[in-house]
Amino acid sequence: MSSVSLVASAQLPTPWGVFTMTGFKEEATGKDHVALSMGDITSDAPVLARIHSECLTGDALFSLRCDCGFQLQAALQRIAEEKRGVLLYVRQEGRGIGLLNKIHAYHLQDHGADTVEANEALGFAPDLRDYTICADMLKALDVKSLRLMTNNPRKLKAMETHGIHIAERVPLEEGKNRYNEFYLATKAGKLGHMLHE
């Protein structure tokens, strides 16, 4: 049984092109998630894809504390350039701890904690995201194989575990600046992200 149900689809014009936006409801929590797709993503050829966790501060409020907003825009641009691909926008703010807890974590980071230490100080694991819903969204869209834009080895392993073939990992390093250098170093050093810059 799928963890999500497909609810509705509509066209979404963006600065990079017109995407099809498909809305999903997560059965266990009632949370809404969306997929933005372009072109024929149901053929056997691997699909350029991004699994993007919601980051209100980075995606909508232009925060420089993370690289999320930069990655979101770069992924949409790359999909549009290829005229084929899919981006999952998954409502798992702050690696799954939620917006208000993320603000608490930011406060701890303002006082010297890194992103992992801050989550743990609040009683959370470093990363609580559940990728089962992502695999189920891709299956509902009849996507079989990915060229996944990610630096996170957990995403690669999770997709393979849930039956989504990874044909290629496509690095996505965007938006490094003086405000997020420590954050990116922590992601590489403590969470195993594959960063080269």
Side-chain angles (χ1 to χ4, degrees), residues 16-178:
W16 303 278
V18 179
F19 289 81
T20 298
M21 178 173 62
T22 303
F24 292 86
K25 181 179 179 181
E26 186 179 348
E27 297 299 340
T29 65
K31 284 185 179 178
D32 301 327
H33 309 281
V34 298
L36 299 180
S37 61
M38 183 178 284
D40 179 9
I41 60 173
T42 65
S43 71
D44 290 336
V47 176
L48 184 64
R50 167 79 180 155
I51 296 170
H52 189 89
S53 297
E54 177 183 38
C55 177
L56 178 74
T57 49
D59 299 340
L61 302 178
F62 315 109
S63 170
L64 297 178
R65 295 185 78 127
C66 62
D67 53 349
C68 304
F70 299 101
Q71 288 183 320
L72 174 62
Q73 294 187 39
L76 290 172
Q77 181 175 343
R78 290 185 193 183
I79 290 168
E81 287 169 354
E82 293 202 7
K83 297 181 172 55
R84 180 175 181 265
V86 60
L87 182 140
L88 305 186
Y89 195 86
V90 187
R91 309 292 296 280
Q92 299 190 109
E93 181 85 40
R95 289 197 211 103
I97 68 173
L99 177 61
L100 298 182
N101 283 319
K102 184 168 83 167
I103 296 171
H104 282 299
Y106 278 172
H107 176 77
L108 294 173
Q109 290 171 50
D110 287 342
H111 292 85
D114 67 34
T115 183
V116 170
E117 293 165 346
N119 277 24
E120 291 175 340
L122 294 171
F124 300 109
D127 194 337
L128 292 174
R129 289 175 290 183
D130 175 13
Y131 294 112
T132 305
I133 57 176
C134 304
D136 286 347
M137 289 168 72
L138 291 168
K139 290 172 185 175
L141 294 169
D142 201 21
V143 174
K144 303 170 188 69
S145 179
L146 304 180
R147 294 167 50 227
L148 188 59
M149 291 182 277
T150 187
N151 307 316
N152 185 349
R154 282 191 69 232
K155 289 182 184 178
L156 300 170
K157 183 177 180 182
M159 290 302 98
E160 291 279 14
T161 297
H162 292 292
I164 304 294
H165 176 251
I166 302 296
E168 178 187 3
R169 180 186 80 87
V170 179
L172 188 64
E173 296 187 44
E174 303 287 340
K176 184 175 180 180
N177 63 76
R178 66 188 180 95

Side-chain angles (χ1 to χ4, degrees), residues 177-192:
N177 63 76
R178 66 188 180 95
Y179 296 103
N180 67 19
E181 284 180 333
F182 183 45
Y183 166 80
L184 294 175
T186 301
K187 287 210 296 187
K190 290 192 174 182
L191 299 173

